[in-house]
Amino acid sequence: MKLAAVLAGIVSVLCFAAPLQAGFIYKMQSSGSKKSKAPDNVSEMKIEGLKLRMDQTEGKAQTTMIFDGDTDQMYVVDHKKKNYFVFDEEMIEGIAAQMSEAMKQMEEALANVPAGQREMVEKMMKQRLGSIGGSQTRGEPEVNDLGRTETVAEISCEWKEISRGGQTGMRGCFADWKDLPGGEDLLAVSNDMRDFISSLIDALSSASGFSNVIGSIIQTPMNDMAIADGFPLVSETFKRGKVAHTARFLEASEAVFSEDDFRPPAGYKRQDIVPEAGGKGR
């Protein structure tokens, strides 16, 4: 543990040129649409340096997402099943290789199909992929200042709306990063995580050519926060013109974490998304 503390101190000095400081815990209350009748839940987000952990409970499901910017790894933990997935360079290279091989096999199969039928199959595939991406792939994002402010948990924020192709995707009250306790640290780890996810998407899209579809599903929520240049203390996410999810910031507090806080729990089993890349579950 002493060695871990020394290494953490070195990382802190290199990244922030400041003495080691405590991390922060953020609490958010969120809910689904009225139609879904999903119960409200309180989620927690913990940050320390370039490490981030998000714990969320929805009904009986309890999940944790952990990002470690020091090692460029992301963990997705399922507490009910007591297992987890690891997203890293090795895993994504395995997926990209499998996708490339699948695309190659499909092209070889289509080469033996009559021209008319081949065009029909290719058209059906494009339509199917377009439906997966949905409206989020249409147009560049636009930010509209709604001209009103609010105070949430004693922090001032400004309401903004983000739309694509004339359709509202998100509406939120964004606080300046410096006004949020630990906000500058949160901004740093958020940017690092966004770059990490972008690199994974680039690897996948280069193998599949489906960058718009993949990007719209994974990147949009994170990009919205970056585009609005602030942290949403209140947010409303839209789907087909209606509010599908809401979240509200409750509080932030300082905390001291151990390395175990940013790792999957001991005894949980690793699940490999790509068996050939990672071998058997560990």
Side-chain angles (χ1 to χ4, degrees), residues 139-153:
E140 292 297 320
E142 296 181 2
V143 180
N144 180 33
D145 190 337
L146 299 181
R148 59 190 177 98
T149 62
E150 187 175 338
T151 299
V152 178

Side-chain angles (χ1 to χ4, degrees), residues 101-122:
E101 181 62 25
M103 292 292 291
K104 180 180 178 181
Q105 292 177 5
M106 183 188 70
E107 290 173 357
E108 291 176 351
L110 287 176
N112 298 321
V113 175
Q117 294 181 19
R118 182 168 63 247
E119 292 177 2
M120 181 176 66
V121 172
E122 291 175 346

Side-chain angles (χ1 to χ4, degrees), residues 31-39 239-240 242-245:
S31 64
S33 64
K34 294 181 180 179
K35 184 178 180 180
S36 69
K37 297 182 180 179
K239 186 176 182 179
R240 298 187 182 93
K242 296 183 178 180
V243 176
H245 182 269

Side-chain angles (χ1 to χ4, degrees), residues 169-202:
M170 176 186 180
R171 186 182 296 146
C173 194
F174 293 85
D176 192 305
W177 292 102
K178 69 179 184 333
D179 294 334
L180 185 73
E184 293 182 350
D185 287 359
L186 178 57
L187 173 61
V189 69
S190 296
N191 286 338
D192 202 53
M193 183 166 66
R194 189 173 69 252
D195 291 342
F196 170 78
I197 291 177
S198 294
S199 67
L200 299 187
I201 292 173
D202 288 344

